[in-house]
Amino acid sequence: MNRRVLGRTGLEVSELSLGGCFIASRHADFEQARKAVLRAVDLGINYVDTAPGYGNSEEVLGKAL
């Protein structure tokens, strides 16, 4: 997985991200979300796009990890 430095933070993030909308409870059950998160991590993705409008995606992400 290619990585880039995020602005001036010095953090290296994957060029591809996991969309938090698709792991929120209203779009997927927890087991599906967990599998998606773990697969993304296996592929080298370390950047997840979350936002309040996505519902509980941050909570689901935390439980999955």
Side-chain angles (χ1 to χ4, degrees):
M1 177 65 57
N2 293 329
R3 298 193 183 281
R4 293 183 184 215
V5 176
L6 182 63
R8 289 182 250 163
T9 66
L11 297 173
E12 289 190 9
V13 297
S14 53
E15 287 184 349
L16 299 177
S17 70
L18 175 65
C21 179
F22 301 103
I23 62 171
S25 295
R26 66 179 171 202
H27 296 289
D29 68 29
F30 178 74
E31 190 55 31
Q32 290 175 317
R34 186 185 70 77
K35 287 179 181 179
V37 168
L38 296 179
R39 180 67 175 145
V41 170
D42 285 345
L43 293 172
I45 294 173
N46 69 348
Y47 173 65
V48 181
D49 174 30
T50 63
Y54 297 159
N56 69 337
S57 61
E58 292 166 346
E59 180 182 341
V60 171
L61 177 62
K63 286 181 180 177
L65 291 173

